[in-house]
Amino acid sequence: MGPFALALDTKNSFAASDASGRKMDNLQMVPKKFFASVNSGEEKPFDFLRILFEGVIAGGTAGVVVETALYPIDTIKTRLQETRGGGQIALKGLYSGLAGNLAGVLPASAIFVGVYEPAKQKLLKMLPENLSAVAHLTAGALGGIAASFVRVPTEVIKQRMQTRQFASAPDAVRLIVSKEGFKGLYAGYGSFLLRDLPFDAIQFCIYEQLRIGYKLAAKRDLNDPENAVIGAFAGALTGAITTPLDVIKTRLMVQGSANQYKGIVDCVRIIVAEEGAPALLKGIGPRVLWIGIGGSIFFGVLERTKRYLEQNRPDNAALKQD
């Protein structure tokens, strides 16, 4: 197909009347879209509160399920990244800090999807169809920023417990604040944003674009296994790309009051000088495995929960009774 595709606009096609009053439909030339897009047809009113509520529930559910299932892999990844040189890692206590982490993952995941879904749908309505990827990238970044205020303290406590610096989450919070001040809970915040904003934006954009493309090809909605496979691919690819950023974030978060790294640039310089550039890819195997499987579980649970909530809306329930 050439750079233009013929499309029949059933809503806005104009009619030309001849002398006898007959009307003729007119075909329009429309530009070929550079990103996958789906025209949903009938425009529905934008219900911000409903989208926000369903996003919060679906996001919180998906976050808790995936974190519980894959926490040991994340612990191994963290210990690999934290170990300097060729040191051995311990395989005991792989669930250290899970309970405290879930207390942060639940609101963080709820906030992320609660911001992402309404932002995505609003941007898709505002932007041309061929810029749907921009809407997904932007919504992912906005969700990441909103969730970071909960995610970062959760991540700091989790990783300090995974590296066996503290015995419990309450102890971790108390001792971090007493020794490093409140800002200690936000150690590595800049590196966290450096990693998570592009990660969230890229992962959700890849996922959404692949789903749209698959829907167009299959001419139907996706089932749960298909959503899970697409989520796994998007997660694994994004996880591999952002591994160096994850290593930097981990080193800054677990250094505590020692302050061996003065910032992101200094952290990179010291790692490369002392351990070589390949050290920036430490933990890439567990990370890709963890995020790939996690993407499969997260997006599978997310779509299933969203569909359940949609089917059980009061207006839909009333229609079913009728």
Side-chain angles (χ1 to χ4, degrees):
M1 186 178 293
F4 290 89
L6 285 174
L8 179 61
D9 189 344
T10 58
K11 285 187 177 181
N12 301 315
S13 57
F14 62 83
S17 299
D18 58 13
S20 61
R22 290 176 301 177
K23 296 182 178 180
M24 299 178 64
D25 291 332
N26 187 39
L27 290 176
Q28 287 185 311
M29 299 291 287
V30 297
K32 187 177 180 180
K33 296 173 175 57
F34 294 99
F35 295 105
S37 60
V38 171
N39 189 341
S40 58
E42 182 183 353
E43 286 290 329
K44 296 181 180 179
F46 184 75
D47 190 342
F48 174 79
L49 291 178
R50 177 184 57 76
I51 297 170
L52 174 65
F53 171 76
E54 292 183 358
V56 165
I57 299 299
T61 302
V64 168
V65 170
V66 72
E67 192 70 18
T68 303
L70 301 178
Y71 195 79
I73 300 176
D74 183 38
T75 299
I76 293 172
K77 182 269 302 180
T78 298
R79 290 178 182 175
L80 280 170
Q81 292 178 344
E82 182 264 345
T83 303
R84 305 183 68 177
Q88 298 294 314
I89 66 166
L91 295 179
K92 293 182 179 179
L94 296 182
Y95 273 96
S96 294
L98 175 61
N101 190 52
L102 290 181
V105 166
L106 176 58
S109 299
I111 291 170
F112 178 88
V113 181
V115 171
Y116 173 79
E117 282 294 332
K120 176 189 75 174
Q121 296 195 30
K122 190 67 176 177
L123 287 167
L124 287 174
K125 288 179 177 291
M126 293 170 55
L127 296 173
E129 283 188 57
N130 62 329
L131 294 180
S132 62
V134 176
H136 297 138
L137 283 167
T138 305
L142 290 173
I145 292 172
S148 69
F149 297 105
V150 177
R151 274 181 176 176
V152 174
T154 301
E155 190 82 356
V156 168
I157 294 167
K158 177 189 76 173
Q159 294 196 329
R160 302 267 183 107
M161 293 187 67
Q162 286 175 331
T163 54
R164 294 173 297 173
Q165 296 183 32
F166 304 107
S168 67
D171 284 344
V173 174
R174 179 176 56 82
L175 291 171
I176 289 172
V177 172
S178 65
K179 291 182 179 180
E180 304 169 46
F182 184 75
K183 67 178 183 180
L185 293 173
Y186 285 88
Y189 184 77
S191 63
F192 183 90
L193 291 182
L194 180 66
R195 182 201 70 172
D196 272 46
L197 288 190
F199 179 90
D200 291 332
I202 294 169
Q203 182 186 31
F204 273 77
C205 181
I206 292 174
Y207 172 73
E208 296 279 15
Q209 291 292 302
L210 287 176
R211 285 187 76 243
I212 291 172
Y214 195 102
K215 278 185 178 181
L216 287 173
K219 297 180 180 179
R220 60 172 174 78
D221 288 332
L222 277 64
N223 57 38
D224 291 334
E226 289 166 339
N227 285 323
V229 170
I230 292 174
F233 178 79
L237 179 59
T238 313
I241 293 170
T242 58
T243 295
L245 301 177
D246 189 49
V247 172
I248 296 165
K249 185 268 309 176
T250 296
R251 293 291 183 91
L252 290 172
M253 282 188 168
V254 303
Q255 67 177 332
S257 57
N259 288 325
Q260 62 198 89
Y261 307 115
K262 296 178 181 178
I264 295 172
V265 176
D266 186 56
C267 182
V268 173
R269 182 184 60 79
I270 293 176
I271 290 174
V272 172
E274 295 183 355
E275 305 168 59
L280 291 171
L281 294 177
K282 276 190 171 183
I284 188 171
R287 178 172 168 77
V288 169
L289 176 65
W290 166 55
I291 298 179
I293 299 174
S296 172
I297 298 173
F298 181 88
F299 286 111
V301 173
L302 181 71
E303 297 299 338
R304 169 62 73 89
T305 307
K306 285 165 58 178
R307 188 165 61 252
Y308 173 82
L309 292 171
E310 182 178 0
Q311 291 171 351
N312 288 274
R313 290 173 190 165
D315 51 348
N316 290 340
L319 289 173
K320 288 179 182 178
Q321 292 177 356
D322 295 340

